[in-house]
Amino acid sequence: MLANMGHVSRFLFGFAMFVIVVAGLKAAETMVVPLLMSIFIAVLCEPVLEWLKDRRVPTGIAIAIIMATIIVLFGALSVLLSASFTDFTQQLPVYQERLRVISDGLLTSISGVLAKVGVQADLAQVTKEVFDPGMAIGVVGSTLGQFGSMMTNLFLILLTTVFILTEIAVLGSKLDALPGSTTKTREALMRFSDTINRYMAIKLWVSMLTGFLVWLLLIIIGVDYPLLWGVVAMLLNFVPNLGSIIAAVPPVLLAIVQLGFGEALGVAIGFVLINTLIGNALEPRVMGKGLDLSTLVVFLSLVFWGWVLGPVGMLLSVPLTMTVKIGLESFEDTRWVGVFLGSGASLEKPAEPKEEESA
């Protein structure tokens, strides 16, 4: 009885700490988001830093080269996207009104067909009460605006990235200097670093290919702002399962408003083909067994981190959840939580040797 009470007390204490941490993250979103973006960029740059150091480039010069490259890339991307983003924002009310008119006309026609067979329903009015199609494009505009406002902190993000990369360069020496055995700590850190670095590197290249194909598709069909939607598709490709669906919504709606339903169907089919080719064929082949995360956990992490940290939280949902999972698996008391967060694929492998032994 007392033992059970002790387990319950520990669970309640852990849950209370979890709630406090989440509330703190939510309250400090404006400070946490730039820090997480700095860590995200540093993780992507760490293999490049190691590659330069292996070629005897001093750490300071290697970091300077990386930062200069990032500034050039961000600057070029900002110049290319600023005009498209500004124009799209200005045209947003026009697109919203056109989409409402098209939606109302289509639903009114369907209501007329239903009335002929004896079904009385004002679908246009019902849809307005449940879902406003114009708001879908409005949400896209506000989300892009949040990313744009985050980029105003670019200097702070890059400065923090420099300090993180400098710390990464000497982290191994610091661990070696700690008193006592640090083997387990080093192994956990190495496992985390290797897993996240591998995932980020592969995902970056795959996402860039996805963005390029989306850009090419929209140019061929003639949808406005193809570069903007290509970049959006590249970023949302970091969001598993739902990212490709969310990325397809704005171009499809814009194609309906701008070109018509036939072209919009072509855009939707193109997105399906691109994501089938890359998400189901190319990415699993180059990524291997993946990150061993449950599909349900991936979806819930997307919702949770998106609620806590906004669009950036959705972008970083998988890396953040992987960090939590690896941390939980590093301790005996919390390893069971890490197992439940996994896909279960690693638990099926040990069954094969047993069958061979019994045979």
Side-chain angles (χ1 to χ4, degrees):
M1 181 69 178
L2 291 176
N4 290 335
M5 289 296 294
H7 289 304
V8 172
S9 299
R10 280 204 300 267
F11 172 78
L12 292 176
F13 179 76
F15 182 74
M17 294 297 294
F18 171 76
V19 171
I20 292 172
V21 170
V22 170
L25 289 173
K26 182 72 174 173
E29 177 184 347
T30 54
M31 182 177 65
V32 173
V33 167
L35 176 61
L36 288 177
M37 285 302 300
S38 299
I39 296 173
F40 176 75
I41 296 173
V43 169
L44 289 176
C45 295
E46 196 267 340
V48 181
L49 176 62
E50 293 299 324
W51 183 83
L52 290 172
K53 288 172 62 180
D54 290 341
R55 279 147 186 80
R56 298 183 179 180
V57 178
T59 301
I61 297 177
I63 293 176
I65 292 172
I66 293 172
M67 288 298 104
T69 304
I70 291 175
I71 290 172
V72 170
L73 291 176
F74 269 99
L77 194 62
S78 299
V79 170
L80 291 173
L81 290 180
S82 59
S84 296
F85 176 72
T86 302
D87 189 50
F88 173 72
T89 304
Q90 292 174 349
Q91 294 295 321
L92 189 57
V94 178
Y95 290 138
Q96 287 179 291
E97 186 57 33
R98 285 181 186 174
L99 190 59
R100 289 191 183 100
V101 171
I102 293 172
S103 174
D104 289 346
L106 179 63
L107 292 172
T108 301
S109 300
I110 296 175
S111 297
V113 174
L114 292 175
K116 291 180 181 179
V117 296
V119 178
Q120 299 295 328
D122 188 354
L123 294 181
Q125 184 62 35
V126 172
T127 303
K128 282 182 180 179
E129 294 174 357
V130 178
F131 172 71
D132 183 0
M135 289 301 297
I137 293 185
V139 170
V140 174
S142 62
T143 303
L144 291 174
Q146 291 181 44
F147 274 111
S149 63
M150 184 195 67
M151 295 309 296
T152 58
N153 295 322
L154 183 61
F155 175 75
L156 175 62
I157 291 172
L158 293 182
L159 183 62
T160 308
T161 303
V162 171
F163 290 118
I164 293 173
L165 288 174
T166 304
E167 191 66 23
I168 289 175
V170 297
L171 183 60
S173 302
K174 289 186 175 182
L175 289 175
D176 292 336
L178 288 175
S181 175
T182 59
T183 304
K184 189 173 181 179
T185 303
R186 178 182 280 275
E187 287 178 355
L189 288 173
M190 290 299 296
R191 179 173 168 239
F192 165 74
S193 177
D194 292 343
T195 302
I196 298 299
N197 280 343
R198 184 171 179 273
Y199 170 78
M200 288 296 188
I202 294 174
K203 200 70 177 176
L204 176 63
W205 289 109
V206 170
S207 299
M208 290 174 64
L209 177 60
T210 301
F212 171 76
L213 293 177
V214 167
W215 169 77
L216 191 61
L217 169 71
L218 298 181
I219 281 184
I220 293 172
I221 294 179
V223 180
D224 287 342
Y225 319 115
L227 182 61
L228 178 63
W229 306 128
V231 173
V232 169
M234 181 191 75
L235 293 175
L236 287 177
N237 196 59
F238 281 90
V239 180
N241 304 326
L242 291 179
S244 57
I245 299 174
I246 298 172
V249 171
V252 170
L253 293 178
L254 194 58
I256 292 174
V257 172
Q258 179 192 347
L259 302 171
F261 285 99
E263 288 78 2
L265 180 61
V267 172
I269 293 173
F271 266 88
V272 171
L273 292 176
I274 290 171
N275 288 288
T276 300
L277 172 66
I278 294 179
N280 296 334
L282 178 62
E283 189 172 328
R285 186 178 294 272
V286 297
M287 198 170 284
K289 66 178 183 179
L291 294 175
D292 189 28
L293 276 179
S294 164
T295 305
L296 176 62
V297 169
V298 169
F299 173 74
L300 293 178
S301 69
L302 175 66
V303 175
F304 173 76
W305 291 113
W307 172 72
V308 175
L309 301 174
V312 175
M314 297 175 65
L315 182 69
L316 301 178
S317 60
V318 169
L320 290 171
T321 305
M322 276 303 301
T323 303
V324 174
K325 181 176 181 291
I326 293 173
L328 292 170
E329 289 179 342
S330 301
F331 301 95
E332 290 293 336
D333 292 340
T334 56
R335 183 168 297 171
W336 64 274
V337 183
V339 172
F340 274 99
L341 293 177
S343 64
S346 59
L347 302 178
E348 298 173 3
K349 292 184 177 180
E352 295 178 1
K354 292 182 180 179
E355 293 179 4
E356 295 175 2
E357 290 175 6
S358 61

